[in-house]
Amino acid sequence: DLSGSITTPDVKLNLGGEFIKESTATTFLRQRGYGWLLEVEDDVPEDNKPLLEELDIDLKDIYYKIRCVLMPMPSLGFNRQVVRDNPDFWGPLAVVLFFSMISLYGQFKVVSWIITIWIFGSLTIFLLARVLGGEVAYGQVLGVIGYSLLPLIVIAPVLLVVGSFEVVSTLIKLFGVFWAAYSAASLLVGEEFKTKKPLLIYPIFLLYIYFLSLYTGV
């Protein structure tokens, strides 16, 4: 039989100018090469970025693109190509959701239907553009089609006022559709299409007629 006692070694650590006595377990682990178990990592400060920056939302950029779509005349001096060349997702999604909300009329299922038409309608325009030889990405088409719903949103409150006047209401609807289609087509239909422009402008025009029909209930 073995008998005896182990005395605790007097080991001290220098932490911030103060000496702290180590326990037997701590010393044992360090002697056996397991000191790394006792190491405590410094707390890494959390990245306190703003929420909009985390989600990659640039409100100034979205506002500028909205102005480019609502005022598509080249004489106004806007760099309208930024809507196509620098596509984003949140701006068009907000426009589509807002258009869906004013199109409800008590039918919440129309929201998902409008979003579906936006996604697959943009996909159709994208595929047609690629077949015709256009150099455009799906994200660019998705952004342009979404932003170009803004004219239909602008005419919505006007239709509520003049809804009882059928002729005036029809003219405003045609104006809104032409406005939206022109904004989208002027960005998507480039010089690379040459004589094939009508083949892309026509389905864009039909797409916005369908969007308007979802709002007016035609």
Side-chain angles (χ1 to χ4, degrees), residues 120-159:
F120 287 97
S122 299
L123 179 61
T124 302
I125 300 298
F126 162 71
L127 294 176
L128 184 58
R130 297 293 290 187
V131 169
L132 295 176
E135 296 295 332
V136 64
Y138 176 61
Q140 293 175 325
V141 178
L142 196 68
V144 170
I145 296 297
Y147 273 118
S148 296
L149 274 173
L150 285 166
L152 300 185
I153 295 176
V154 171
I155 68 170
V158 182
L159 291 176

Side-chain angles (χ1 to χ4, degrees), residues 29-41:
L29 289 174
R30 292 188 184 280
Q31 290 177 349
R32 295 299 186 276
Y34 296 102
W36 56 272
L37 293 173
L38 306 173
E39 295 178 359
V40 179
E41 296 183 358

Side-chain angles (χ1 to χ4, degrees), residues 84-130:
R84 169 178 170 168
D85 297 338
N86 186 26
D88 66 288
F89 176 73
W90 297 108
L93 178 63
V95 173
V96 173
L97 287 177
F98 188 70
F99 179 75
S100 302
M101 295 303 295
I102 66 174
S103 304
L104 282 178
Y105 287 118
Q107 299 180 3
F108 287 95
K109 60 184 179 181
V110 77
V111 177
S112 60
W113 183 240
I114 289 177
I115 293 176
T116 302
I117 294 302
W118 170 49
I119 293 174
F120 287 97
S122 299
L123 179 61
T124 302
I125 300 298
F126 162 71
L127 294 176
L128 184 58
R130 297 293 290 187

Side-chain angles (χ1 to χ4, degrees), residues 201-214:
I201 295 176
Y202 182 65
I204 292 175
F205 181 74
L206 292 180
L207 180 61
Y208 285 107
I209 288 180
Y210 189 70
F211 273 123
L212 184 64
S213 70
L214 292 174

Side-chain angles (χ1 to χ4, degrees), residues 10-83:
D10 189 13
V11 180
K12 298 181 179 180
L13 296 177
N14 186 0
L15 299 176
E18 297 182 358
F19 289 94
I20 301 177
K21 186 176 180 179
E22 279 192 346
S23 65
T24 304
T26 301
T27 305
F28 178 80
L29 289 174
R30 292 188 184 280
Q31 290 177 349
R32 295 299 186 276
Y34 296 102
W36 56 272
L37 293 173
L38 306 173
E39 295 178 359
V40 179
E41 296 183 358
D42 295 333
D43 293 335
V44 180
E46 295 183 358
D47 192 5
N48 296 322
K49 290 184 179 180
L51 179 60
L52 294 181
E53 187 176 344
E54 288 285 349
L55 297 176
D56 196 21
I57 300 176
D58 189 344
L59 294 180
K60 291 183 179 179
D61 181 61
I62 293 174
Y63 175 65
Y64 185 81
K65 291 176 180 177
I66 289 174
R67 294 171 65 190
C68 290
V69 171
L70 291 178
M71 294 175 282
M73 290 73 70
S75 59
L76 296 177
F78 289 110
N79 181 21
R80 301 188 65 246
Q81 288 301 316
V82 73
V83 182

